[in-house]
Amino acid sequence: MTAINLLGGPQEFAEFKFGTRHAKLYFNDELNMKIAKTRLSVSKRLQALDDQKEMTELDNKPVKEQQAFLSKLYQDLRNELGMFFDEQFGKGAGADLYKLANHSTERMASAFFMIVKEYDELRDQRNSYIDTYYKSRKATKKK
């Protein structure tokens, strides 16, 4: 029989700070889903900004429609990121980050992706720990 050790092991949280805001984020199912949903939504919106086909089609529309499209895209992106940061760092955190980012939605997205990167690194550390720990146990286990 093999015991599963749930104690010890790699860290399952990360601490983040911006301005006066500070949060210790525990990577559990709830946060994992929020990160995944926000990551998908933010990535799709950022892709739309880089989509040459969509931008070419937009060129054929009146200037007011072009401006409305871009304004809505940035507003939706800012709202999505703002909600994520408000949920994780407290009410108003999204607005605070937007101010600290010099009113740059893309810099807000960069801050979000820093959290994603940390999450990915912690997941890799956990998986490596599990592989190493249980492979070494299996190797020393009597047959």
Side-chain angles (χ1 to χ4, degrees), residues 97-111:
L97 180 59
Y98 185 61
K99 288 177 190 170
L100 284 170
N102 200 25
H103 300 274
S104 170
T105 303
E106 290 183 33
R107 286 182 66 199
M108 281 182 77
S110 293

Side-chain angles (χ1 to χ4, degrees), residues 22-61:
H22 176 265
K24 186 184 262 190
L25 303 183
Y26 289 87
F27 295 105
N28 55 31
D29 287 350
E30 183 181 349
L31 180 58
N32 294 347
M33 285 305 297
K34 286 179 184 174
I35 287 173
K37 288 178 181 179
T38 305
R39 184 183 207 173
L40 179 63
S41 179
V42 167
S43 294
K44 291 280 185 192
R45 289 186 172 107
L46 289 174
Q47 258 181 344
L49 286 172
D50 290 334
D51 186 342
Q52 293 304 312
K53 182 180 176 190
E54 192 163 348
M55 290 299 135
T56 301
E57 289 173 9
L58 195 58
D59 284 342
N60 297 326
K61 296 183 179 186

Side-chain angles (χ1 to χ4, degrees), residues 3 21 31 41 49 59 81 95 100 107 116 118 124 134 136:
R21 304 281 182 158
L31 180 58
S41 179
L49 286 172
D59 284 342
L81 291 165
L100 284 170
R107 286 182 66 199
V116 170
E118 186 68 23
D124 289 345
Y134 286 100
S136 66

